[in-house]
Amino acid sequence: MNSKIEALGTSTGKILYSSDCQNILDLSVAETMELFKSSGVILFRGFGVTPKQMKDFSEQFSGRHIIDFTKVSIDSDKFVNFVDGGIDGLIPHCENSCFPFRPDVIWFCCTVPAEQEGETLFWDGVRVWEELSQESKQLFISKQLKFSYNNIPVDRLKIILGYSAHTIDDIKQILDSLDGVSYQFNDDKTVYVEYTCSAVVKNKYTHQNAFANHFWVYQKKTEEAIFEDGSRASDEVADEIETIFDKLTEKIPWEAGDLVMMDNSRFLHGRK
């Protein structure tokens, strides 16, 4: 790979620069993948990437894509979505980690950067886990997170599960095959789904433990039970995690045409 490569902040992430107005689709898939496995985050800069090119480029690395019904799409097949509306900050989280369909990789493309601030923030879940006290590590090893979803329409669940989910029996077969999932069909053609999982994720490429999850969103934004046994984390654990996140915050200062590829099994992301 002849392109210039620099460190992205103090993280393992890398900035990969275009050489001579290079088309991003001309990059070697194999070499890009090797860089991604070791870095976990790649910021492609100077390629002038459009949402259409993001779609075409990401398809070289992906066998399946996740549809996000919570965001507004800019294309008919819901492949490319706007980020969440408003100007509020977004709490550290891994995409879809509160649902049994968690993508391995997430992609961000910037067409127009914010006039001020608006950086995407990210945290290395491996480093977060290393910073946690032994007591907190034991808490997250011993207790599973629990996420509950009421009244999911059957038709929407069919789309989420994919084209093979034509019938109720298909849906049941797919849900039965998923780890940590229990469900109940309701009389009004909706489904209650409950998902339990560990807050500790074994990274896909380096096989290290990572604190890569949706825990902090639920801890900060709800008063609901977070763990499967009906409990929540103590204030002491919450203060410890907040201190670690503050210490390990990394930033992506966007420029128009930037593209980011992020390992969703290791890195959490958010926004100022």
Side-chain angles (χ1 to χ4, degrees):
M1 187 175 289
N2 297 323
S3 302
K4 177 183 174 183
I5 300 174
E6 289 183 349
L8 178 57
T10 62
S11 73
T12 58
K14 297 291 187 260
I15 306 174
L16 176 64
Y17 291 93
S18 168
S19 58
D20 301 323
C21 299
Q22 185 179 14
N23 188 319
I24 196 166
L25 297 174
D26 292 335
L27 288 176
S28 164
V29 172
E31 292 181 7
T32 300
M33 197 63 204
E34 284 306 305
L35 179 63
F36 178 68
K37 287 178 179 179
S38 62
S39 65
V41 180
I42 303 176
L43 167 58
F44 300 89
R45 174 153 287 172
F47 293 90
V49 176
T50 65
K52 174 65 167 61
Q53 286 177 315
M54 176 176 71
K55 180 178 187 295
D56 293 341
F57 186 66
S58 66
E59 283 182 328
Q60 297 180 92
F61 302 89
S62 306
R64 181 186 175 197
H65 298 93
I66 305 298
I67 295 175
D68 188 343
F69 289 97
T70 67
K71 295 184 175 67
V72 177
S73 301
I74 67 172
D75 57 348
S76 59
D77 59 3
K78 296 186 178 296
F79 186 95
V80 181
N81 302 317
F82 288 107
V83 295
D84 295 296
I87 59 173
D88 294 336
L90 294 178
I91 295 173
H93 65 285
C94 292
E95 202 68 20
N96 246 31
S97 58
C98 56
F99 207 63
F101 301 100
R102 176 188 185 127
D104 296 327
V105 181
I106 55 173
W107 302 82
F108 301 95
C109 179
C110 178
T111 54
V112 180
E115 291 185 5
Q116 58 183 11
E117 298 186 332
E119 298 97 335
T120 292
L121 309 179
F122 66 99
W123 298 262
D124 186 343
V126 171
R127 293 183 65 192
V128 175
W129 180 251
E130 290 171 349
E131 292 276 343
L132 282 172
S133 65
Q134 287 302 317
E135 292 80 7
S136 294
K137 286 180 178 178
Q138 185 57 41
L139 170 70
F140 289 109
I141 288 172
S142 63
K143 292 190 177 186
Q144 295 270 300
L145 304 178
K146 182 177 77 171
F147 305 100
S148 302
Y149 302 92
N150 293 306
N151 305 322
I152 303 175
V154 169
D155 289 342
R156 173 165 291 190
L157 194 55
K158 285 181 180 179
I159 297 173
I160 294 172
L161 296 177
Y163 295 110
S164 60
H166 300 296
T167 66
I168 298 296
D169 286 341
D170 292 337
I171 293 176
K172 290 180 178 179
Q173 184 175 356
I174 294 172
L175 293 178
D176 287 339
S177 70
L178 299 172
D179 292 336
V181 172
S182 60
Y183 60 91
Q184 177 67 50
F185 280 82
N186 304 318
D187 293 337
D188 61 354
K189 294 185 178 180
T190 63
V191 187
Y192 169 79
V193 177
E194 192 171 276
Y195 176 53
T196 59
C197 62
S198 177
V200 190
V201 177
K202 190 69 72 174
N203 174 249
K204 183 177 177 66
Y205 302 109
T206 64
H207 309 295
Q208 298 166 282
N209 284 335
F211 188 78
N213 50 59
H214 242 77
F215 165 81
W216 196 233
V217 174
Y218 279 74
Q219 176 73 18
K220 294 288 283 186
K221 298 192 73 172
T222 77
E223 296 182 357
E224 301 171 8
I226 296 173
F227 296 113
E228 187 179 18
D229 64 1
S231 66
R232 286 174 58 82
S234 67
D235 291 341
E236 289 77 15
V237 171
D239 290 344
E240 178 191 359
I241 291 173
E242 188 157 35
T243 299
I244 293 171
F245 277 140
D246 288 344
K247 174 184 176 181
L248 299 180
T249 301
E250 299 283 353
K251 300 177 182 179
I252 299 173
W254 291 108
E255 295 181 8
D258 281 350
L259 176 72
V260 164
M261 179 183 189
M262 185 175 292
D263 180 353
N264 196 47
S265 70
R266 174 172 179 173
F267 286 86
L268 304 96
H269 64 278
R271 185 179 69 196
K272 289 185 66 172

